[in-house]
Amino acid sequence: MVEHREPSQGAAVRESLSFCRQCMGMCGTIVSLDGESRVVGVRGDREDPSTLGYACFKGLNAPEAHNSPERFLRPMKRMSDGELAPIPLEQALDEIATRIRELVDADGPGTVAGYRGGGAFFTSSSVMMIPAFLSALGSPKAYSSVTIDQSAKMVALGRLGMWPPGRVPMSRSDVYLLVGANPLVSVSANGFDTRNPTKRLRAARERGMKLIVIDPRESETARFADIHIQALPGEDCVVLAGLLHLILENGWQDHAFCDQFADDVDALRSAVARFTSDAVAARAGISESTLRETARLFAHECSTGPAAGATGPDMAPGGNLAEHLIECLNIVCGRYLREGDPVEHPGVIHARQPIRAEVIPAPRWWEEGARSRVGGFGQLDGELPTGTLPDEILASGSGRVRCLISHGGNPASAIPGIEKVERAFASLDLLVAIEPFPTMTTALADYVLPPTLQYERADLPIWLYESLVSPEPYTRFTPAIATPPEGAEVADDYLYFWELAKRLGLTLELMGEALPMDSAPSTREILERTAANAPVAFDELERAERGVFLPGETQFVEPGDPDSPNRFSLLPDDVADELAGFAGTLAHPPLGDERFRYRLAVRRLRDGNNSAGLSLPSIKARVPVNPGFMNPDDMADDEISNGDEIEIASRHGKIRVRAEADPSLRRGVVSVSHGFGSLPREGAKYADVGVSTNWLTAASEGSRESINAMPWMTGFPVSVERTGARAPGAVEASKGA
Ligand SMILES: Nc1nc2c(c(=O)[nH]1)N[C@H]1C(S)=C(S)[C@@H](COP(=O)(O)OP(=O)(O)OC[C@H]3O[C@@H](n4cnc5c(=O)[nH]c(N)nc54)[C@H](O)[C@@H]3O)O[C@H]1N2
Ligand SMILES: Nc1nc2c(c(=O)[nH]1)N[C@H]1C(S)=C(S)[C@@H](COP(=O)(O)OP(=O)(O)OC[C@H]3O[C@@H](n4cnc5c(=O)[nH]c(N)nc54)[C@H](O)[C@@H]3O)O[C@H]1N2
Ligand code: SF4
Ligand SMILES: [Mo]
């Protein structure tokens, strides 16, 4: 059992500057600390040069997480009675290392897998530890939340080719086309300026930037849009192909850019010819005139500014194609930086290098290197697709994964197909979670290693995606400003990997160099090595309380090789096949299945962050469960009232949730957030914890993308029925609809 303690917090005696590391916002904060250096308050720092005082409810709620009585404060081991109990750190590390050694000796390093989740990506001193640990061990079994999120973007670049200077930044855009993204709530960047997103969007609108949003819901972001295409979820490929068709038919493309860098514009034009405006409008449930206005505004009336997609398109059937078509819009309309343009963020932690205006031909990384044992999926950015992990654990044979180290994630909640995931994780010989709170994953773990929380560790803002989180070359350092709760035996995450590596006789490498393995490096040393390429000395960074802008010499896009034969590949064979598949759907009504008359839509909630923090009392007070949001007219037709229990069923399973009217949602859609619920074996009540939407999804053939094995999480058909009950009690989720 987790020991329950009452949090002891004193009055604030001092304040320190730091920044929040719960999402990509990286908001500058002022943290109040008591005499014991415990976090007692957080507020947005109005003088922060980057985020200008913004902080959301989740970020302001950090004291509750830091001092939570639920938090794991000591290493835990699952005992013979099935419960987790605290054990000494040395014992935990020795036992885990011994078990790993036995598994590797028995069947090789590929028996050991690692999974990184959000908590790992937001910890700069340890984000590279799973890759470093696995490569030292010789295991290719690296996984992360990226391949159950927006890896469609990597697939698109891998199939199209890359343009190193990147897209025109928001600051210089006349228009911004957002597909299935709600950055005003998710504070998640794809080139959209999320440093205090509403303020930045208002400023961009004031200087004349147009906004187009494709979303089944009139989201917080869509409310600012000049045009909102409220298409059905899962129809982005159709809508985007329809836009490309209009643009190419009208000759609104950037002819010079296309002539120089894309050979197959005509092939693309033919391939999208079937996506006529009337057919697209009928299939996507939108008006033809809105589609036409969008093509005109984006490609004809505006001359610069990109299209960008987020989870909406990327999680739907056809997600890889949708991202491909989004990038085709950018290529065809020439929405990239050109020779001589200044580069806003040339690199701070990432080394600066010359950026040339030329195409790097489609690298198709996944066609070489390690593959999943089941399905033969290849790697993206050094990782195998997470959608293949359950099979990798369950399928017998050599190389079967027997040990999983979960770092800062909750894969049991996050990976589609909840029952199979539970079965897979329960069958592991060793499941280790580096995790601060009880989760669906720790409920199955053999060991839990408790990390420090954000304000207890020194850090840099998420650097892997540094140019996405800040359009300017900005970074900062925060020292550890808070002390962990009394009696805690917690460590910065990287230390656990270092200690295990040492016990296994491995040498970890960071940024291409070996870490010392005789005595443990400090967090500061790790961060200093990480920032070795920064154009500023680390101690200068340390002294700059609110961070530093590092423009140095402004970097400009350099000319490309004029003789380069490299071109974008707009229509490789696999893309042509996928596009033909969607063209085939045009003949059918979108909600034509008698049984499944609705589509599911994912959405994120303002006050929760995936599964993280949902059990904290103040978050629970706001979002106790995940409702099923519906359009009020659909509810009236189906005789469903607010608060009624509804059953949502897919091909894979069913869940019962509370119906809630949401007039911002279009008809034909039911929208439910993920991250809630319990494991099937725990059978907790909906009224207590909500329910996992991963009863409705599956990480298997027929319900996922090719290449990245991305399981479909939105835009697939579901049925919705009123059960007759109000305010549902027991979870009643089950397999098979
Ligand atoms: N059906 C469905 N499934 C989905 C999605 C969906 O929309 N629908 N979304 C997908 C997406 S986009 C993602 S990113 C994944 C989420 O995948 P994950 O990242 O695996 O899941 P989270 O729920 O975000 O879990 C983050 C964990 O990090 C822990 N944590 C918080 N702070 C720290 C820290 O300082 N250190 C450490 N070590 N841990 C910390 C939290 O307690 C939490 O348990 O889920 C995916 N799954
Ligand atoms: N508050 C909060 N912030 C978060 C998170 C959270 O859980 N809560 N999660 C974090 C994570 S892990 C991620 S990956 C990012 C994601 O960031 P975003 O991708 O911006 O996520 P959402 O805010 O859900 O916005 C997605 C939008 O897509 C729409 N949509 C759903 N299905 C479709 C579809 O098929 N097509 C189209 N065009 N639109 C569709 C939804 O209505 C929603 O408005 O947010 C991060 N930030
Ligand atoms: S937006 Fe993200 S980084 Fe900013 S306060 Fe909220 S959770 Fe923290
Ligand atoms: Mo995500």
Side-chain angles (χ1 to χ4, degrees):
M1 277 299 292
V2 182
E3 280 176 73
H4 279 266
R5 301 162 305 271
E6 282 308 311
S8 56
Q9 285 165 256
V13 299
R14 65 191 172 87
E15 292 186 326
S16 286
L17 292 178
S18 189
F19 57 92
C20 178
R21 284 147 274 165
Q22 279 168 264
C23 83
M24 282 179 124
M26 300 284 134
C27 299
T29 51
I30 300 177
V31 182
S32 309
L33 302 151
D34 70 8
E36 245 76 89
S37 290
R38 308 253 147 74
V39 182
V40 292
V42 173
R43 62 181 204 276
D45 177 7
R46 291 217 180 133
E47 284 166 57
D48 187 277
S50 178
T51 53
L52 318 172
Y54 184 76
C56 76
F57 172 73
K58 304 182 300 297
L60 300 178
N61 204 38
E64 200 177 20
H66 275 253
N67 302 302
S68 168
E70 301 286 323
R71 185 176 161 188
F72 291 119
L73 292 178
R74 296 181 53 201
M76 308 292 277
K77 177 185 180 180
R78 191 163 307 281
M79 300 299 184
S80 50
D81 63 358
E83 301 289 334
L84 287 171
I87 59 166
L89 176 62
E90 292 296 310
Q91 183 193 341
L93 294 167
D94 288 345
E95 288 181 11
I96 294 168
T98 302
R99 197 75 197 98
I100 290 177
R101 170 57 63 214
E102 287 166 0
L103 292 168
V104 171
D105 285 348
D107 192 26
T111 53
V112 180
Y115 169 89
R116 284 182 292 173
F121 285 104
F122 294 130
T123 307
S124 284
S125 54
S126 58
V127 58
M128 297 317 287
M129 288 297 139
I130 286 234
F133 184 79
L134 293 177
S135 84
L137 199 61
S139 168
K141 306 284 172 63
Y143 302 85
S144 80
S145 51
V146 173
T147 43
I148 42 173
D149 190 340
Q150 296 163 67
S151 59
K153 293 175 174 58
M154 267 189 278
V155 175
L157 297 182
R159 300 202 282 193
L160 272 163
M162 294 181 286
W163 183 257
R167 298 170 180 168
V168 171
M170 180 162 149
S171 63
R172 277 184 264 155
S173 293
D174 299 348
V175 63
Y176 215 95
L177 167 55
L178 278 177
V179 190
N182 189 15
L184 297 198
V185 164
S186 65
V187 194
S188 179
N190 290 306
F192 193 92
D193 194 345
T194 48
R195 304 167 303 163
N196 197 331
T198 308
K199 211 173 201 157
R200 304 280 181 185
L201 178 57
R202 282 217 166 94
R205 306 276 295 126
E206 272 161 29
R207 67 162 176 78
M209 190 189 83
K210 305 288 183 196
L211 179 68
I212 304 168
V213 173
I214 305 180
D215 196 307
R217 193 167 80 85
E218 192 191 5
S219 65
E220 291 73 359
T221 309
R223 263 173 232 151
F224 283 85
D226 296 279
I227 302 180
H228 175 204
I229 302 192
Q230 203 164 1
L232 279 169
E235 296 299 337
D236 296 301
C237 292
V238 164
V239 173
L240 293 161
L243 290 174
L244 282 162
H245 167 69
L246 285 168
I247 291 165
L248 294 169
E249 278 310 295
N250 286 294
W252 290 334
Q253 66 267 43
D254 182 329
H255 293 278
F257 191 77
C258 289
D259 288 350
Q260 201 178 349
F261 299 114
D263 288 334
D264 46 1
V265 176
D266 286 336
L268 181 68
R269 185 206 315 276
S270 311
V272 295
R274 283 174 67 191
F275 295 86
T276 56
S277 302
D278 54 338
V280 167
R283 176 74 194 178
I286 58 175
S287 87
E288 229 183 296
S289 60
T290 309
L291 191 73
R292 289 179 184 281
E293 275 169 43
T294 302
R296 172 174 285 277
L297 179 65
F298 182 76
H300 188 52
E301 290 168 15
C302 296
S303 55
T304 184
T311 53
D314 292 21
M315 292 183 166
N320 291 339
L321 178 64
E323 278 293 343
H324 188 95
L325 296 175
I326 287 169
E327 216 48 65
C328 281
L329 281 173
N330 291 323
I331 294 169
V332 162
C333 300
R335 300 303 162 85
Y336 290 132
L337 290 178
R338 308 299 175 84
E339 177 183 335
D341 283 341
V343 179
E344 279 191 339
H345 193 307
V348 169
I349 302 297
H350 291 288
R352 294 184 182 191
Q353 46 201 345
I355 297 174
R356 297 203 172 81
E358 62 188 17
V359 176
I360 296 176
R364 291 191 170 258
W365 305 278
W366 52 89
E367 290 178 358
E368 275 164 36
R371 292 193 177 244
S372 66
R373 288 187 310 132
V374 180
F377 290 90
Q379 289 167 303
L380 281 168
D381 206 8
E383 292 183 348
L384 287 163
T386 293
T388 64
L389 178 57
D391 281 336
E392 205 65 45
I393 298 170
L394 289 170
S396 57
S398 176
R400 179 177 179 186
V401 167
R402 305 308 310 142
C403 161
L404 176 66
I405 303 176
S406 168
H407 177 204
N410 188 5
S413 158
I415 304 176
I418 189 168
E419 283 202 304
K420 186 167 164 186
V421 173
E422 180 188 60
R423 193 153 35 89
F425 284 15
S427 77
L428 286 163
D429 286 322
L430 179 63
L431 175 58
V432 180
I434 302 177
E435 166 61 52
F437 289 100
T439 65
M440 281 161 62
T441 305
T442 64
L444 295 166
D446 300 297
Y447 295 89
V448 178
L449 298 174
T452 47
L453 281 187
Q454 51 177 340
Y455 293 118
E456 297 157 0
R457 63 177 190 254
D459 228 329
L460 300 166
I462 182 172
W463 58 270
L464 272 184
Y465 307 113
E466 61 176 358
S467 61
L468 289 181
V469 294
S470 174
E472 293 170 275
Y474 168 83
T475 196
R476 69 186 296 176
F477 168 82
T478 178
I481 58 169
T483 308
E486 205 179 336
E489 196 179 352
V490 295
D492 287 359
D493 318 39
Y494 77 89
L495 213 53
Y496 293 130
F497 291 98
W498 188 89
E499 291 285 355
L500 291 175
K502 187 174 164 66
R503 282 165 174 75
L504 289 161
L506 306 172
T507 299
L508 296 179
E509 279 190 12
L510 181 68
M511 313 302 267
E513 280 184 45
L515 285 181
M517 294 306 297
D518 43 352
S519 69
S522 68
T523 309
R524 187 192 178 283
E525 274 174 76
I526 297 266
L527 294 174
E528 189 173 7
R529 277 167 180 260
T530 304
N533 291 316
V536 57
F538 198 73
D539 47 1
E540 211 176 303
L541 203 56
E542 271 183 307
R543 282 196 302 271
E545 274 199 309
R546 288 189 165 93
V548 269
F549 290 92
L550 299 156
E553 298 262 295
T554 306
Q555 195 173 331
F556 297 93
V557 177
E558 297 187 10
D561 170 5
D563 300 322
S564 167
N566 298 333
R567 299 286 182 270
F568 287 110
S569 308
L570 301 182
L571 198 68
D573 290 347
D574 45 2
V575 170
D577 288 348
E578 289 163 31
L579 200 52
F582 274 93
T585 67
L586 291 171
H588 308 286
L591 304 172
D593 189 318
E594 286 241 325
R595 189 151 150 245
F596 298 126
R597 290 183 301 110
Y598 285 86
R599 294 247 177 112
L600 187 83
V602 287
R603 68 174 282 190
R604 269 138 180 86
L605 297 173
R606 191 186 278 284
D607 299 325
N609 202 342
N610 304 327
S611 73
L614 292 178
S615 65
L616 295 173
S618 56
I619 293 185
K620 219 169 167 46
R622 291 190 175 199
V623 280
V625 295
N626 47 345
F629 295 105
M630 295 180 76
N631 179 286
D633 294 336
D634 280 339
M635 291 173 76
D637 282 1
D638 288 353
E639 296 177 356
I640 297 167
S641 306
N642 245 341
D644 279 353
E645 183 188 75
I646 51 172
E647 184 170 279
I648 304 173
S650 74
R651 280 201 299 131
H652 300 291
K654 52 195 177 193
I655 59 173
R656 288 182 175 191
V657 298
R658 192 189 74 213
E660 195 169 313
D662 181 356
S664 72
L665 199 62
R666 63 156 291 146
R667 295 197 67 170
V669 182
V670 57
S671 180
V672 196
S673 287
H674 65 292
F676 288 79
S678 66
L679 289 171
R681 58 172 62 193
E682 293 171 318
K685 290 189 162 125
Y686 173 79
D688 293 335
V689 294
V691 62
S692 169
T693 51
N694 280 329
W695 285 96
L696 303 172
T697 59
S700 56
E701 187 66 37
S703 295
R704 67 181 175 200
E705 292 294 286
S706 61
I707 299 176
N708 56 352
M710 173 68 187
W712 299 335
M713 303 173 184
T714 195
F716 56 79
V718 291
S719 63
V720 177
E721 307 277 350
R722 186 165 56 88
T723 65
R726 277 188 71 79
V731 163
E732 270 84 65
S734 58
K735 204 177 157 181

